[in-house]
Amino acid sequence: MKLLRYFEGDTVRPGLLDAAGVIRSLAGEVADISGPALDAATLARLAALNPDSLPRVEGAPRLAPCVGGVGKFMCIGLNYSDHAEEAGMAIPEHPILFLKATSAIAGPQDDIVIPRGARAVDWEVELGVVIGKAAKYVSEAEALDHVAGYCVVNDVSERDFQIKLSGQWTKGKSCDSFGPIGPWLVTRDEVADPQALDLTLDVNGQRMQAGNTATMIFSVAQIISHLSQMMTLHPGDVIATGTPPGVGMGMKPQPVYLKPGDRVRTEIEGLGMQSQSIRADD
C-alpha cells in the first residue's frame, strides 16, 4: 500500500493511493497515519480494503508529511562510502547518529525555506524507514520485521550552521522545512529489498545525485539493530539512512548551494517523488 496524509482545508486527513493513482480517504478507517495505525494488524486490515469502496478525494490536495506524530527523527551520517570520500571523512566503524528536530518535518511539496543568515543550504536524498513495531535489543535477522514501510526523505542541511556554529550537526539539520517526508509511506510488503533502490536528486533539472542503497555502508537491518541496543524505537519513528554522493558541499571546484527560486526534485525507486521550490524566510 501507499499510505499518505493530505490537507482538507487546515485539517490533515489519512488516505491511500490506489492503483490508478487516485487518492482515497481513510478517514473512516484510522484517525491518522501515525504510530497507532502502523502495527501489523491495522496495516493488514487496511490492505484488505477494496480501494474502490473508499471515498475518492477530488482534485489535487496539498500533501502532508506521510507520517504524523513522529516521536524521533533519526539520521545516519556518512552511510555511503563514496559520499564519505567526497566529504573527506573516514569510513565510520559504527553508524553515525544525529537527531533532526521533528519541527523540521514538512510535506513533499512544501517550500524549502532558507533561514535568516543562511548561505550554505544543501540537499541530501535519503531512504526513510518508518518503524511499525517497537524495537529494543533486536537482531539484524529480525530487524526488518519492525519496519512499517519506507519513504523519501530530503535531509536538507545548512552547512555553516552544521559545521561552523560548534556543537552537534543538529543545528544545521533542524531548521523549519528541512525535513520533507513523503509523498507516501510505502508498506514493507511492496519493497522487496530496501538495499536495491535507486535514489536521484535534481536541482533546476540538473542531476546532482544518483546512487543506489546497495552501496550503503550499514544496511537498514544493521541500523535498526544497532540503534535498538541503545534506545527503544517506537512506532512512527523515522530513520533517514544516509545519502549518496553529489551533495552541494562536495562540488568542485567550489561548493554549490541552494538559492531562492531554485527547484529540487527528489525521487526513490518505487517510493515516489518530491518537488519543492526554494524561498528565503520572511
Side-chain angles (χ1 to χ4, degrees), residues 10-278:
D10 294 329
T11 303
V12 175
R13 304 290 190 191
L16 63 77
L17 193 74
D18 70 17
V22 175
I23 296 176
R24 301 283 180 166
S25 173
L26 287 174
E29 302 294 335
V30 292
D32 196 3
I33 305 301
S34 60
L38 298 178
D39 64 278
T42 302
L43 291 179
R45 178 172 61 82
L46 296 179
L49 296 172
N50 178 0
D52 292 340
S53 70
L54 299 170
R56 181 187 181 110
V57 178
E58 300 297 335
R62 174 188 165 204
L63 296 180
C66 62
V67 184
V70 176
K72 294 190 288 294
F73 193 175
M74 299 161 282
C75 300
I76 306 301
L78 299 176
N79 196 31
Y80 288 71
S81 56
D82 35 12
H83 174 53
E85 181 180 353
E86 76 173 346
M89 303 183 74
I91 301 298
E93 294 184 21
H94 307 283
I96 295 174
L97 172 69
F98 60 93
L99 297 181
K100 200 175 183 87
T102 55
S103 56
I105 293 174
Q109 302 160 342
D110 293 345
D111 291 348
I112 293 172
V113 182
I114 298 177
R116 295 177 183 177
R119 298 184 298 274
V121 176
D122 206 346
W123 55 83
E124 294 189 14
V125 57
E126 307 202 7
L127 172 65
V129 179
V130 181
I131 299 298
K133 180 173 71 171
K136 187 173 179 65
Y137 302 135
V138 302
S139 68
E140 290 179 25
E142 61 188 345
L144 296 186
D145 294 339
H146 294 260
V147 174
Y150 302 93
C151 63
V152 181
V153 174
N154 188 350
D155 176 21
V156 185
S157 310
E158 212 293 339
R159 301 303 188 187
D160 285 352
F161 293 2
Q162 176 185 354
I163 298 168
K164 298 179 181 179
L165 293 187
S166 302
Q168 303 298 316
W169 288 0
T170 299
K171 289 183 179 180
K173 301 285 190 170
S174 295
C175 304
D176 296 348
S177 80
F178 274 24
I181 296 177
W184 16 88
L185 167 59
V186 180
T187 50
R188 188 180 78 230
D189 59 294
E190 291 199 7
V191 180
D193 183 359
Q195 305 307 146
L197 301 175
D198 289 331
L199 310 86
T200 60
L201 185 144
D202 299 348
V203 178
N204 300 328
Q206 180 180 355
R207 180 62 43 87
M208 309 303 283
Q209 288 186 276
N212 188 284
T213 55
T215 63
M216 282 184 180
I217 298 168
F218 304 103
S219 69
V220 171
Q222 289 174 311
I223 291 167
I224 291 172
S225 177
H226 178 76
L227 295 180
S228 78
Q229 308 308 310
M230 293 162 283
M231 67 187 84
T232 301
L233 306 180
H234 294 100
D237 285 350
V238 176
I239 306 170
T241 57
T243 197
V247 299
M249 181 176 64
M251 293 295 165
K252 307 297 183 186
Q254 61 185 15
V256 176
Y257 294 121
L258 295 170
K259 61 186 183 302
D262 285 347
R263 287 199 62 83
V264 176
R265 184 183 189 276
T266 308
E267 186 171 11
I268 298 179
E269 178 185 0
L271 304 185
M273 181 268 293
Q274 299 182 0
S275 180
Q276 295 109 1
S277 295
I278 313 302

